[in-house]
Amino acid sequence: MDIKSREERSRNMARIKGTNTKPEVYIRSLLHRRGMRYRVNYSPVEGKPDLYFSRYKVAMFVHGCYWHRHKGCPYAYTPKSNVEFWNKKLEGNRKHDEQVVSDLKDKGIRVLIVWECTIKKMRRDKELENQVCNSIQQFITQGKDYFLEI
């Protein structure tokens, strides 16, 4: 049983943004300061990546752990109410993400996923922030692998 009314829950869920979220803006700012240039929510590329580095053919997604089902993450909990609906919805998100990664790989576009929990840790630890930014920059500019998850 939900502690909020159906109308309250609907209002809460409607306020959740899909673009320009705090984690996205944070990562964009860090990379821009390092001289990295990108397109934001670039629709010509499958999956409309949060950042697209056209020079390197790299699509970057900043995933929320809850919405994209980050395995083993405490933020990827399952709601206690309307369980059947949420399991179907969240599993559909996960399958869609897998399909997008596969399609991008087939088109020769490399994929980078940065999870919300990593960003939360980065905000608390400047050394980790620097390490992650270095990893991201190295993957984008020098990487040969098609996929990286941080």
Side-chain angles (χ1 to χ4, degrees):
M1 169 111 180
D2 199 352
I3 60 172
K4 295 188 180 281
S5 72
R6 192 173 185 89
E7 293 77 25
E8 283 179 297
R9 180 63 62 204
S10 179
R11 268 195 312 275
N12 285 354
M13 297 309 281
R15 288 192 324 216
I16 296 172
K17 298 189 306 183
T19 59
N20 296 324
T21 62
K22 286 181 183 179
E24 276 181 47
V25 172
Y26 173 73
I27 288 292
R28 288 191 331 221
S29 173
L30 289 175
L31 295 177
H32 194 271
R33 278 186 260 151
R34 288 173 165 247
M36 301 295 295
R37 298 300 179 255
Y38 45 80
R39 294 182 175 265
V40 178
N41 303 116
Y42 193 51
S43 58
V45 174
E46 174 99 24
K48 197 175 174 186
D50 298 315
L51 303 176
Y52 183 67
F53 302 86
S54 53
R55 178 177 176 187
Y56 303 102
K57 292 184 80 175
V58 173
M60 180 175 174
F61 296 92
V62 179
H63 278 346
C65 298
Y66 173 78
W67 292 106
H68 297 274
R69 310 314 293 160
H70 187 198
K71 285 187 180 176
C73 180
Y75 299 115
Y77 62 91
T78 301
K80 305 262 186 292
S81 63
N82 206 0
V83 176
E84 187 177 324
F85 167 81
W86 284 112
N87 282 338
K88 183 178 176 188
K89 164 77 174 145
L90 298 171
E91 182 61 19
N93 289 351
R94 190 191 62 72
K95 286 181 180 176
H96 178 261
D97 292 341
E98 282 179 1
Q99 185 62 50
V100 166
V101 169
S102 176
D103 292 348
L104 290 173
K105 179 185 175 191
D106 292 345
K107 292 177 181 173
I109 297 173
R110 296 183 301 129
V111 177
L112 171 62
I113 295 174
V114 180
W115 289 101
E116 171 189 21
C117 58
T118 301
I119 294 169
K120 286 183 179 190
K121 291 174 190 169
M122 288 170 64
R123 287 176 165 251
R124 293 189 300 259
D125 183 348
K126 291 298 175 189
E127 187 176 320
L128 177 65
E129 177 185 88
N130 194 42
Q131 289 173 355
V132 170
C133 284
N134 287 340
S135 296
I136 291 170
Q137 197 166 9
Q138 186 173 2
F139 175 82
I140 292 169
T141 60
Q142 302 163 10
K144 300 297 180 225
D145 295 328
Y146 89 92
F147 182 77
L148 177 64
E149 221 175 330
I150 298 175

